[in-house]
Structure formats: structure tokens, C-alpha cells
Amino acid sequence: MSADQDFPTPILTAEPQSSVFTGDSVTLRCELIQSHNGWEFLWTKHSHSESTETATTIINSVKVSDGGEYKCRARRGRYYTERPKPKVTIKPAQHVFRGDTVTLRCDINGKGVTSWSYSWYKEGSTSVFSDRQEHTLSFVTESDAGKYTCYGSETEGSRWSQKSDKVTLTVLERPKPKVTIKPDQHVFRGDTVTLRCDLNGEGVTNWSYSWYKEGLTSVFSDRQEHTLSSVTKSNAGKYTCKGSETGGSRWSQMSDAVTLTVSDPRAVLSVSPHMWLTEGDPVTLICEVYNFSTGWTFSWFTLTVSAENSRHYNPLSDSSRGAGGNYTVSSAALNHTGVYSCRAEREKPAYKTQFSNTQLLWVTGVSPPVSLIVSPSRTQHFTSVSLSLICEDQSNSTGWRVRRYTDGGRLEDCSSLHRGSQTGSTCTISSTITSHTGVYWCESESGEKHHPVNITVHSGVILESPVHPVTEGDHLILHCLYQHTTSPNLRADFYKDGSLIQNQTTEMSITTVSKSHEGFYYCKHPERGESPKSWISVRASTDSRSDGLKPITTGVTAGLTVSVLIIVFLILLWRYRKNKGGRSQSPSTVSQQQNNSQTSDQNQSGTAHIYDSGGAAVNKDISTDSVSESTELTYAEIELKSTKKKKKKKENKGAGSSDVTHAQSQTHSNRAQEFTSLHIAFWVVTAMF
């Protein structure tokens, strides 16, 4: 018999077929449906080892121990007759997704058996759950996963099959696709984008795809990747996809929706570090294209607004200097004050943006000719209060008015504001509203602009901060205010540039302001809310700007003062010694010199002149020196008092006093004056040192 021929199926019979008693005789026959010669038969009892017998086995005088199950099979050469073994199949596949429907099928190829009954088992359970050849599981879950077997028995007969091999059913979570959009979900009109649907479904080797767009009911693509060329705003929207098994019945979940945004390229202008500048400060204008910043070149403009609020964009003469997106001014000058804008342009695909938002740059001189006085004196103000702004001119000239620049890029006079009026150089707003927020400045009839102030009107918490720049070394105090409480001062947290610097305090105090304190400040109350941000600018003090000259000036002044005092001291000492030398002679000699020598009279009158007329003689003798007036007068007044006292004592002695007595008195008086002169001179010199 060739290997591909069907094996004959043995049929086992017993005579008699009914129960027998001990001692009876029983005949067992193993017959082949198709009779062939050369077969030998193998008999098995209770699954014990096989024994070779003839086709007929006779058990004479049976015993109780002979009872049991007998089996037979035929063998010829290497070919055996086998009990048929069922085969289990699972459709559509052994790996299915939760919610799918699967069918279990038991196939038995048993010759000679026209009808089978089936028994299904699931591993872990001893009971039969189905007696059909096919069993269907609808909307499977993870609990349906496991190993399944079956076997068959002959309907209305005694034959049965072997048990099938176990077949495993795996229930998986239904896969969910992921949609990606390249190069980005935010694209510009005219760009090309690619939609891609990715699926990771175990057991599925080939997927078909379906693409959906929100608002459409039909599938617009069945590819894994779908390309949209030269997109327009009509391509914007939410996209989803799902997959189905190619040639199968399984499908995925629907992906999450991904939104494609199609917009016109937009240039955005910003300023670093800030728009408030002092002459000489560096500043950079930064132009960027929203969400897509490669392949662009940039142009720069200043904006002028006519009285009718029509805009005019004037290109900068050196606009190409900012082609890379940054336009830097290393040292700002007054003529850099203005409103700036930019636009971007690219070649592929060709596109030119609209003009960007506007940014104000304001450069202030060190000593502006006019000041803008704000009352109340702070940058942030409540709504529904009065506000006045006054242009105070240092030269008392007229013709100044208050103007405003709004966040929307409009230039306005005070009189055009809602509830605003201009009287002379004073702008009055009777009741503030949030739209009064803006930059205010003083402008002359000739177009000069000075002293910009950033005014914010807010309905909640505000920060009480100074209107004008703070000078280095000053004491700065900030308060957090709320309009609708008995006491406007709040206990709040204070922030600088987004970082907490003081918490839960009624005021923030900086004792000595320095340039490092410059930045954006705001306050925050846990219940009332947060104030707007205010920029606090710090300017250098006059002393710090002239520090290089101060030590030299001080040194020169001190040196000159000391030199003058020494000269004065030497002159007085010389005159004292000269007078003393004259008086130490005999009375006759002194009298003779007084009568006969005009020079001696001049010397005497010169000495009296020093004491009586203050610093006149000193100025006469050292007129080329820079003598401190207060030092000269102090010295002269003390000497004058001392001199008068001596004269008074001299008059009290009477006219009859001898010349010797007069000379001695004069000597003592001069010695007293000498001590006073030396004491005062050295005291002044020591103090100056």
C-alpha cells in the first residue's frame, strides 16, 4: 500500500454483545472493512501493552478480571490502522482583537464513519462547552483566550476518535493607529504636507487604510501616506484614520484626530532687552516667522501715522543689515526713537508676509527739556478714577501737548481720548478705562518728543511704582494696591522678572538702588489676583558719571587750601616777628623810628590793617592764590576780637603809663596774639588734612 492511500478502518465486535457471566465464552473480532491479506492484529486491554493476535480472539470461561475496554488495530509491514485524530482550526486567526468574532472548527477524517458527534473542551475546565463541529465566539474578550481541544464519537455507534492537539486562541487589545503630519501640523498656505497612518497590530501582516476628514463622510484615501500639495485654508481641519486587515476581517480602532492648521505666514517683531532706552544703550529688534523660521529674509521699516491715522511704512536705508532676523543698534541715539515694523520673504514656495506688529523704541536724553508729570504719581492706575498728565517745560516755553501711542499702533492726541481733554499743556482724563493703557509723552509744535511714560489702567490689583527712572543710590519702595478695600495696601508677594523676591509683605523696599535692580516688577495677592507688570528703569547718578574727575578735583582743592593756609601763617608769623623786633628796642629808639621813619609808620599801619580789616591785606599779599573766603574771614574775626581786647586793656591803664610799661604791655599782647595765631592756623590746617 502506498503512503498516499487511505488506511482500512478496523471494526471491533464482541459476541455476545450483551453482558456475560463468569464462565461464559466471549469472541472478539477485529475486522477490516476492506479485506486484504497480510494483516496482523494488535490487541490492547486497559491501554496496556499491545499483544499480537489473530483477527479473532476467544476468551473461554471469562472471569471478572477479564472485564474492561479492548482495542485493536491492524498492521501490515510498517502501516497501521489509526484511530482518527481531529484537527482544530480557528477562523479568522488564532490572534484576534477584543470585540472580534471567531469560529472554532473540529474536523475528523474517519473512514467508515458517516456521522460524528463532537465534544469541545477548554483548558482549565472539565465540562464540554459545545457538541457542534463549529462553535462561534462573538465579541471575544480576554476571558475567551486559552487552549481548545475536541474529539469525536460515532453517532449511533461505538467508535470514537483521538483527542485533537491543543490550539491557542489569543485575544489582543484592538490596535489604535497614530496619525502624524510632516513637516508640521502648523503650515503655511502653499506648503506641501504628508499625512501618515501607523499601525502596530500583532498577527496582522498587511493593512489597508481609510482616511477621514472632519465634516466629510466618505473616505478620501486608502494609502498609508497621503500627500497634500500646495495646501490652502480649505485643507485645514481634523484628520483621522483606521486600518483593516487586507484579505481578512479584522480592523483597528479609529485614531485620535490630528488638526492641520493652514495659515498665512506672519512676521512677529520683538525688542531686546526692552523698548525704554537712554542714549548710548544697545538694543536689538528681532523679527521671526511664527512656527516656521527657516529660509526667510527680512526687511525693516519705520512707521509714520498721519493725522487721519493712515499708516506709512518707510524702509530703513540699511535694512539689509537685519537680513538674518536681528537688527542691532549698538549705541542708541535720540533719532532712533520711533515705531518699527518688519516683514519676511522666501523663495520656495514664494511668499511675502504682511507687515508685522509694531514695536515702539524710545530713546531719552540725559537732560530732557520737558518732563511729563503724572498725577497720581505712578505708572499703574485703577479704572473709574481721574488722571492728569502735565508737560512741565524747564525753559517755561509753551506749545507742548500730551500724545499717546496705543498697543494697536494708533497715535492719538489727549483730546481724542474717551473722557479726555487738553488744556494748555495739561491732559485730563475724567474717568479712566482700560483702553486708556498706552505710552504717553510730551510733543512740541515742531514735533519734538520727550519723556515717554508707560501708563496701565487696570480694574483689579495694581503695583504702585515710580513713573520716571530711579537714580542709582536712591531708596525705592513698591506697594501692592487694591481699589475695593478700606485700606488699599495689600499684603502680597512681589516678583521681579518672574522670580519671587519678597513674600507676604505690605511693601517691597530696596534701600540702595543699583543698575541690577532694573527689570519688570509685579505683585500677587492670593485672593485679589495679580497686578500688571511695570518696567522700572535705573539711571546712573551724576556723581557716578563724574567719578573719574572727583578724586582729582578733591586732591587739587585740598592741596590749594593747605598751601594758602601755610602762606597766610608764614606771612602773619613774619609780621609778628618784625613788629616784635622793633618793640624790643629802647623806648627812645622806638620813638625816634616812629617820628623820623615813614617806613616804620607804614609797617605799624600795615600790622593794624591786618587785624582791623579782615582778609583785605591777605588778599593783597597773595592775590594770585585761590584762598577760601570762609577760611580767611574766620581767622580774621578771631584776631580782630583778640586785638580789640588788648586795646581795651591798654586804654584802661591811662595816659601816664611809661614807655617801658607800654613796650612790655605791647610785648605781652603780641605774645598772646602769637599764641592765638599759631593755634588757629594749625587747627585749620589739621581740619583740612
Side-chain angles (χ1 to χ4, degrees):
M1 181 181 290
S2 62
D4 58 352
Q5 287 178 310
D6 291 337
F7 297 135
T9 303
I11 299 175
L12 180 60
T13 60
E15 292 180 3
Q17 293 186 0
S18 60
S19 300
V20 296
F21 300 103
T22 56
D24 288 348
S25 177
V26 176
T27 300
L28 300 174
R29 289 186 178 87
C30 191
E31 298 176 330
L32 296 175
I33 295 176
Q34 298 143 339
S35 180
H36 297 283
N37 295 324
W39 289 94
E40 59 178 338
F41 297 88
L42 304 175
W43 292 86
T44 304
K45 178 186 177 185
H46 297 304
S47 299
H48 293 162
S49 61
E50 296 178 321
S51 61
T52 304
E53 303 285 350
T54 59
T56 302
T57 298
I58 300 173
I59 305 174
N60 294 312
S61 186
V62 296
K63 302 184 291 294
V64 174
S65 60
D66 291 324
E69 182 183 64
Y70 288 80
K71 298 178 182 180
C72 78
R73 64 176 178 161
R75 179 178 67 185
R76 188 174 69 180
R78 62 189 183 90
Y79 297 102
Y80 293 81
T81 61
E82 286 286 350
R83 190 181 303 277
K85 188 174 185 178
K87 181 180 180 181
V88 173
T89 56
I90 301 178
K91 290 184 178 180
Q94 290 179 238
H95 298 277
V96 295
F97 303 128
R98 183 157 54 86
D100 283 350
T101 297
V102 298
T103 298
L104 308 174
R105 181 180 176 85
C106 186
D107 288 301
I108 303 175
N109 186 16
K111 297 296 182 179
V113 178
T114 57
S115 180
W116 291 96
S117 295
Y118 299 89
S119 298
W120 283 97
Y121 295 89
K122 184 184 178 200
E123 188 178 48
S125 176
T126 57
S127 61
V128 175
F129 66 83
S130 178
D131 60 358
R132 298 177 182 178
Q133 185 179 13
E134 286 188 348
H135 179 75
T136 299
L137 299 171
S138 300
F139 299 102
V140 296
T141 64
E142 287 78 0
S143 64
D144 294 313
K147 295 180 178 181
Y148 290 85
T149 58
C150 73
Y151 79 93
S153 60
E154 185 181 14
T155 306
E156 299 180 356
S158 60
R159 289 177 288 182
W160 62 90
S161 73
Q162 299 181 58
K163 187 172 284 189
S164 72
D165 292 332
K166 296 176 180 178
V167 178
T168 303
L169 173 66
T170 303
V171 179
L172 304 170
E173 179 68 29
R174 190 178 300 278
K176 189 174 185 178
K178 181 180 180 182
V179 174
T180 55
I181 301 179
K182 293 183 179 180
D184 197 88
Q185 291 178 232
H186 302 275
V187 295
F188 296 131
R189 181 163 50 86
D191 284 346
T192 297
V193 298
T194 298
L195 310 173
R196 180 179 175 87
C197 186
D198 285 302
L199 260 173
N200 183 20
E202 185 178 347
V204 179
T205 56
N206 197 6
W207 289 98
S208 296
Y209 298 88
S210 299
W211 281 97
Y212 301 88
K213 182 175 184 287
E214 186 180 43
L216 301 177
T217 56
S218 59
V219 175
F220 67 83
S221 177
D222 60 358
R223 298 178 181 178
Q224 184 178 14
E225 287 189 348
H226 180 76
T227 298
L228 300 171
S229 301
S230 190
V231 296
T232 64
K233 291 190 175 181
S234 65
N235 295 122
K238 295 181 179 180
Y239 289 85
T240 55
C241 74
K242 72 175 182 179
S244 59
E245 183 181 18
T246 304
S249 60
R250 290 178 288 180
W251 64 91
S252 72
Q253 299 181 60
M254 187 73 76
S255 71
D256 291 331
V258 176
T259 302
L260 174 66
T261 302
V262 180
S263 60
D264 290 324
R266 184 167 63 93
V268 179
L269 181 63
S270 58
V271 178
S272 178
H274 51 82
M275 64 181 180
W276 307 107
L277 305 168
T278 304
E279 284 182 293
D281 287 349
V283 65
T284 298
L285 297 172
I286 303 167
C287 193
E288 298 175 294
V289 178
Y290 179 69
N291 279 337
F292 197 85
S293 57
T294 59
W296 296 92
T297 57
F298 300 88
S299 302
W300 304 85
F301 304 85
T302 56
L303 173 66
T304 56
V305 181
S306 66
E308 297 78 18
N309 266 325
S310 59
R311 296 186 169 202
H312 302 279
Y313 292 89
N314 312 301
L316 297 180
S317 59
D318 57 349
S319 180
S320 60
R321 185 160 62 92
N326 287 357
Y327 185 93
T328 300
V329 176
S330 58
S331 180
L334 291 176
N335 62 359
H336 287 124
T337 295
V339 180
Y340 290 80
S341 181
C342 70
R343 72 188 309 179
E345 185 176 0
R346 69 179 181 188
E347 294 182 356
K348 294 183 180 179
Y351 199 90
K352 180 181 287 188
T353 70
Q354 298 296 319
F355 289 102
S356 72
N357 58 304
T358 57
Q359 282 286 355
L360 174 67
L361 277 189
W362 205 292
V363 185
T364 304
V366 177
S367 300
V370 67
S371 297
L372 181 58
I373 308 302
V374 180
S375 181
S377 183
R378 55 176 181 251
T379 59
Q380 297 182 18
H381 300 267
F382 296 119
T383 55
S384 303
V385 298
S386 63
L387 175 65
S388 65
L389 303 98
I390 306 170
C391 292
E392 187 177 77
D393 190 356
Q394 309 302 323
S395 59
N396 295 321
S397 63
T398 59
W400 293 98
R401 59 175 176 165
V402 177
R403 300 207 74 194
R404 181 178 81 136
Y405 173 78
T406 68
D407 290 339
R410 297 197 320 273
L411 294 175
E412 297 178 329
D413 289 327
C414 174
S415 56
S416 63
L417 299 178
H418 180 63
R419 301 171 185 169
S421 62
Q422 178 91 31
T423 303
S425 60
T426 300
C427 170
T428 302
I429 301 174
S430 59
S431 182
T432 54
I433 55 177
T434 54
S435 62
H436 288 138
T437 296
V439 179
Y440 293 76
W441 68 90
C442 295
E443 186 168 322
S444 67
E445 293 176 348
S446 61
E448 289 182 87
K449 304 176 183 67
H450 292 288
H451 228 132
V453 173
N454 194 18
I455 297 294
T456 302
V457 178
H458 187 59
S459 60
V461 174
I462 66 170
L463 179 72
E464 186 179 48
S465 59
V467 173
H468 304 301
V470 184
T471 304
E472 284 183 312
D474 284 355
H475 185 192
L476 173 65
I477 298 178
L478 304 178
H479 293 101
C480 199
L481 306 180
Y482 186 67
Q483 188 174 17
H484 306 296
T485 53
T486 304
S487 175
N489 279 10
L490 294 178
R491 180 175 292 276
D493 298 335
F494 290 83
Y495 294 80
K496 175 182 179 289
D497 298 328
S499 298
L500 178 66
I501 50 177
Q502 286 189 22
N503 64 329
Q504 290 303 297
T505 179
T506 55
E507 67 178 29
M508 195 202 81
S509 176
I510 301 175
T511 305
T512 306
V513 174
S514 66
K515 194 68 174 176
S516 64
H517 292 119
E518 197 168 63
F520 283 102
Y521 289 79
Y522 66 96
C523 64
K524 186 175 183 181
H525 187 271
E527 297 175 0
R528 306 298 183 187
E530 181 179 308
S531 75
K533 296 176 176 62
S534 280
W535 174 264
I536 294 181
S537 181
V538 178
R539 62 187 173 193
S541 64
T542 306
D543 290 342
S544 63
R545 287 195 295 267
S546 60
D547 281 347
L549 299 175
K550 186 175 180 180
I552 298 175
T553 305
T554 303
V556 171
T557 303
L560 289 173
T561 303
V562 172
S563 300
V564 170
L565 291 173
I566 292 173
I567 292 171
V568 171
F569 169 72
L570 292 175
I571 291 173
L572 293 173
L573 184 61
W574 172 75
R575 290 187 177 274
Y576 162 74
R577 291 186 177 277
K578 185 173 182 180
N579 291 334
K580 180 181 178 181
R583 292 188 180 97
S584 63
Q585 298 174 10
S586 64
S588 58
T589 305
V590 172
S591 178
Q592 184 180 357
Q593 288 177 345
Q594 291 176 346
N595 294 329
N596 301 327
S597 176
Q598 185 179 357
T599 303
S600 297
D601 292 337
Q602 291 174 350
N603 288 340
Q604 293 293 338
S605 62
T607 304
H609 180 70
I610 291 174
Y611 296 135
D612 293 338
S613 60
V618 176
N619 288 332
K620 179 181 178 181
D621 293 338
I622 49 173
S623 59
T624 58
D625 294 328
S626 300
V627 182
S628 172
E629 181 181 356
S630 60
T631 303
E632 294 167 6
L633 291 176
T634 300
Y635 185 86
E637 287 173 358
I638 292 174
E639 289 302 328
L640 182 59
K641 291 177 183 179
S642 178
T643 303
K644 288 180 179 180
K645 187 175 182 180
K646 296 300 179 181
K647 287 182 178 181
K648 187 176 181 180
K649 289 181 180 180
K650 185 175 180 181
E651 291 170 357
N652 290 337
K653 289 183 179 181
S657 300
S658 65
D659 292 338
V660 175
T661 303
H662 172 76
Q664 291 174 346
S665 175
Q666 211 40 10
T667 301
H668 290 301
S669 176
N670 287 336
R671 286 176 181 174
Q673 292 170 14
E674 178 184 2
F675 171 79
T676 304
S677 299
L678 290 173
H679 174 76
I680 296 300
F682 278 103
W683 177 83
V684 174
V685 172
T686 304
M688 290 308 300
F689 276 111

